[in-house]
Amino acid sequence: MRALAVFPDRRELRMIDVPEPVRRGEREVTVRIREVGICGTDREIGAFHYGAPAPGAERLVLGHEALGEVIEVGSSVSTLAPGDLVALTVRRPCDAVSCVACRAGRQDFCVSGRFVERGIHGADGYLTELVVEDERYLVKVPHGLAEVGVLIEPLTIAAKAAVDLDAILRRYPWEPVGLRALVLGAGPIGLLGAMMLVARNVTTFVYSREAADSDRGELTRSFGAEYVSAGDTPLSELPPRIGNADVVFEAVGAARVAFGALPALAPNGVFILSGVPAAGTPIEIDLDGIMRDIVLKNQVLFGTVNASRAAFEASVRQLEQFMGLFPDALRSLITHRATLEDAPELLHRPGGIKQVVSLAA
Ligand SMILES: [Zn+2]
Ligand SMILES: [Zn+2]
């Protein structure tokens, strides 16, 4: 069967032929992959900047944002049946006995750093036709989400952030109502994060570089958030333009933008960092001012990476809610669909919002 693989040592990215995977354990499930989303991580791996094959292997099959269909299940599988749609989780627990996170099934909080991520680090991914996986790493998806289910994995970033955000908001001795949020970046994660906030009745502003009358600006307004273009409003003018934000959700992966937006964070506000910046030239920022503000305004900054099974399940519920609230906006996040054969080209040609490789017959 076909697969898209990267050979880091030879600096090659190409379609290869691989044997079909074989089910061995009773709890294993054979999944036919239907769609795989492409993101910046895939592009970095495809450009040989990141990622690693399994130990001893020379190539890594790419793809980690996947929606599939169950075609066979082992005799002990109890939660899934052939025909079910599933989202495939990405991170697998490390082997460290002392890693309390992985031992508790929360490998998104792994402390040893020796975790494996399918399609990214240490295990093959999902840009192929068939995958065998333990049922505990597969999350059932309602058929009504078939056309957007590929967004479940990117949405887990916001779903996990929302759980942590709620925990932090519980420190207030009052009910946090009438919240205002600023989302930095109008890529898939930023827009999904903005949808999550709007769905929670948070007044939401999305700040990004595209023009106010761009497709992204229009899309943002279509689901009930406001769009502010960096072209019209420099970072320094954000607070007077939109007021203070109780929550900032960063999804640009650029420290200059993230920390430049800190003055817009309200007293007692929460700033969520989800982007991963590439190594770049050091920038100069007023750290004394930032630290003073964080202390004197009781602010919280936290980072969030990967997702637990619970976050995938929350993401499925969230996506169902979005489908009810703003189905057209949700659908229009997927701007390109390509075949598996065209996937290598897709990796080299960023564009639109979310690009998806479609393997469905
Ligand atoms: Zn991704
Ligand atoms: Zn661990």
Side-chain angles (χ1 to χ4, degrees):
M1 62 176 192
R2 302 162 299 158
L4 176 65
V6 63
F7 295 75
D9 289 347
R10 287 191 258 147
R11 296 178 72 81
E12 273 178 34
L13 170 77
R14 61 182 164 87
M15 294 299 303
I16 57 169
D17 198 43
V18 293
E20 287 193 2
V22 180
R23 241 175 346 98
R24 293 201 170 82
E26 290 176 351
R27 290 181 60 182
E28 286 188 334
V29 176
T30 307
V31 177
R32 186 188 303 286
I33 301 296
R34 288 172 65 133
E35 293 204 311
V36 181
I38 300 294
C39 74
T41 301
D42 300 304
R43 296 207 157 85
E44 279 185 39
I45 299 170
F48 321 109
H49 298 315
Y50 191 65
E58 58 167 353
R59 51 97 177 133
L60 172 78
V61 173
L62 274 167
H64 60 274
E65 301 182 358
L67 178 75
E69 182 181 339
V70 172
I71 55 167
E72 272 178 15
V73 298
S75 56
S76 299
V77 170
S78 59
T79 57
L80 295 168
D84 283 346
L85 291 182
V86 285
L88 297 93
T89 64
V90 181
R91 193 180 281 192
R92 301 291 173 265
C94 74
D95 57 2
V97 180
S98 60
C99 181
V100 284
C102 288
R103 300 294 68 80
R106 285 302 303 267
Q107 47 267 28
D108 53 318
F109 285 138
C110 178
V111 290
S112 79
R114 301 211 304 263
F115 54 79
V116 162
E117 288 177 335
R118 290 199 68 161
I120 300 173
H121 193 95
D124 280 342
Y126 307 131
L127 270 168
T128 186
E129 293 167 74
L130 295 173
V131 167
V132 165
E133 187 52 274
D134 191 293
E135 72 171 320
R136 87 187 98 158
Y137 301 128
L138 303 171
V139 175
K140 193 167 165 174
V141 176
H143 278 94
L145 294 180
E147 57 181 320
V148 291
V150 71
L151 298 172
I152 288 167
E153 197 278 343
L155 179 57
T156 60
I157 308 287
K160 177 180 169 185
V163 171
D164 291 348
L165 172 65
D166 286 341
I168 296 164
L169 292 180
R170 256 176 251 130
R171 73 193 173 136
Y172 300 154
W174 62 85
E175 194 60 34
V177 288
L179 293 178
R180 299 160 59 80
L182 167 65
V183 173
L184 302 171
I189 304 218
L191 291 171
L192 286 165
M195 287 180 175
M196 182 265 290
L197 290 157
V198 168
R200 295 158 71 103
N201 293 318
V202 175
T203 303
T204 303
F205 299 84
V206 174
Y207 183 73
S208 192
R209 62 185 161 200
E210 294 80 13
D213 61 358
S214 63
D215 290 351
R216 287 185 210 226
E218 210 158 291
L219 173 59
T220 302
R221 289 185 290 273
S222 78
F223 64 83
E226 273 196 51
Y227 184 85
V228 181
S229 169
D232 308 328
T233 308
L235 266 174
S236 57
E237 283 171 30
L238 255 184
R241 163 84 167 76
I242 66 163
N244 280 341
D246 303 292
V247 178
V248 179
F249 181 64
E250 177 278 329
V252 281
R256 189 189 56 78
V257 180
F259 289 92
L262 260 176
L265 188 64
N268 313 317
V270 184
F271 198 110
I272 306 161
L273 296 161
S274 82
V276 183
T281 323
I283 54 169
E284 208 165 290
I285 50 171
D286 174 18
L287 277 174
D288 281 328
I290 288 173
M291 181 170 165
R292 195 167 49 236
D293 267 1
I294 291 174
V295 171
L296 296 179
K297 296 180 184 171
N298 299 296
Q299 294 169 332
V300 176
L301 258 82
F302 75 90
T304 180
V305 71
N306 205 273
S308 62
R309 184 184 170 88
F312 272 81
E313 288 165 349
S315 181
V316 170
R317 290 192 296 272
Q318 193 84 82
L319 210 59
E320 280 192 292
Q321 192 191 10
F322 295 175
M323 257 319 226
L325 289 173
F326 26 73
D328 294 339
L330 186 60
R331 286 190 195 101
S332 55
L333 290 179
I334 300 174
T335 44
H336 295 81
R337 278 191 161 89
T339 62
L340 185 54
E341 277 66 30
D342 289 337
E345 202 203 323
L346 206 61
L347 277 170
H348 293 127
R349 187 171 38 84
I353 301 173
K354 176 53 87 181
Q355 299 181 322
V356 166
V357 175
S358 198
L359 292 97

